Each structure stands twice: as C-alpha cells, then as structure tokens.
Amino acid sequence: MSAGTVPDRRLELAGRLEAVRERINAACADAGRDPGEVTLVVVTKFFPASDVLLLHDLGVRAIGENKDQEAGPKVAQVREALPPGSDLEVHFVGRLQSNKARHVAGYADVVHSLDRRKLLDGLDAGAFDRGRPLGLLIQVSLDGDTSRGGALPEEVPDLGAAVAQRAGLVLKGVMAVAPLGADPDVAFASLRRVATDLQAVHPTADWVSAGMSGDLEAAVRHGATHLRVGTAILGSRPSLL
Ligand SMILES: *Cc1c(COP(=O)(O)O)cnc(C)c1O
C-alpha cells in the first residue's frame, strides 16, 4: 500500500462506520431500545490486516472473520501490530469444518457458527490450549435448509445441553442469517423465539447475533444484541463463487 492511500482508506472507513452507527441508532430509537445493548461486529473477511488496524483506531472493538485459512494469519498479524493489552474481540462467523475447530478456538474469542456436536471436541480442546473459555453461539437454520450451515430449531436444546457439559465452552446464545429471499422480519422473529427458549434453560445465553448490512434494522426490531456488518463498512468483496 503506498503512503498516500492510507489516509484515504481511513476516511472512507470512518465515513461508512459513522453511517452504520447512525443506522443502528435510528433503528434502536424506532424500536425503543438502548443502542448500548447492541454490539457492532465488523466483518473484515477478504480485507487486509491494515483495514482491521484502521478500524480498531476508529473505535471498533469486535471483528468477524469466516475462513480459518484467512483469519488465522490475519489475526496474528493484527495482534502483533496492536499495543499489548489492546482489546479486540475476534468473532468467527463462518462455516466451521471439524478439523479446523481446534485451530479456530486458538485465536477466536467467540464462535457464532456451532451447528453440530462434532465440532465440540475440537473447540473445547482449542479453548484449553489457549487457557481461557470460548464463547459459542448456536447457528440456527430458519428455513429448514441446513446446507448453508445452521442447526434446525428442534436440534438447539440438545446442542445447548452438550455445550453446557464442556468446561472450556460458554454458551452465549444463537446466531442466524436470514434465508435468501425471505422476509427478514419473519426470520428474525422466529430466531428470537428460539433464543428465548434457550435462555430459559441457559441464563448465560443472552446473545442474539442477527442482521447484516442489508437487514440490520429488522434484526434490531427483533432483539438482536450483535450485528455482523461487512459490506456497508468495508465495501464490496470479490464474489464468493
Ligand atoms: C460475510 C458475513 C456477514 C456480513 O455480511 P454483509 O452483507 O457484508 O454485511 C455477516 N454474517 C456472516 C455469517 C457472514 O459470512
């Protein structure tokens, strides 16, 4: 990156971040919610460590990544560049392969995409390697199609019970992506019902991770505590497929 581009990128990120914060504040005002209840997780996948550092400097304290191969080295680079003791929470939001679970748990603070028991051995082992508990959200599929990840709502109680048995893992709540073409208000209302049922059994599970660049207002209306926003802040990514 040439020296001249850094201030430009900083300004661009600052402007878009401010616009997203304004959207969140407006959505909270409409929903009668306190913006302090809503955490912005900036999804930095496909963008370099230099962007993460600029975002941190602009006050971002939670980033999201979705691929181990990309996230592992990037997070290491970011942690090395930040002054010791800097707070930056790393959220892993992507589909997780069981052979990557232990590695991801070595650098992520929270994994949003738990959708099967098979991941638990690796996640628990990774939490022990690192010597601190790992937060987990159960990803819920809201349209019965689990091919893009997510457990069915009826599988959530068993998964929650399995997490609760692991000393290294803390159940934090649920996550969902609104199904393609679906009304996000309908999707996030059903996610909230799953969240409420889970929290009744597991009081620590009070997070609802829902809402992205296109549907964060609907997520705020339905009780989201964590919004995962990429494009609206970083710009468009190269196409995934
Ligand atoms: C990429 C991604 C996001 C961010 O989506 P945008 O539309 O770019 O805001 C949120 N959640 C997950 C699981 C993602 O993979």
Side-chain angles (χ1 to χ4, degrees), residues 41-46 65-66 92-95 112-113 139 175-177 209 211-215 227-233 235-237 240:
V41 178
V42 181
V43 180
T44 48
K45 66 189 185 200
F46 283 94
E65 286 288 333
N66 83 332
F92 190 87
V93 303
R95 252 201 128 176
H112 288 227
S113 46
Q139 184 179 349
M175 179 275 240
V177 177
S209 167
M212 321 200 306
S213 294
D215 55 18
L227 307 172
R228 309 177 311 271
V229 179
T231 315
I233 294 169
S236 47
R237 300 177 286 272
L240 279 169

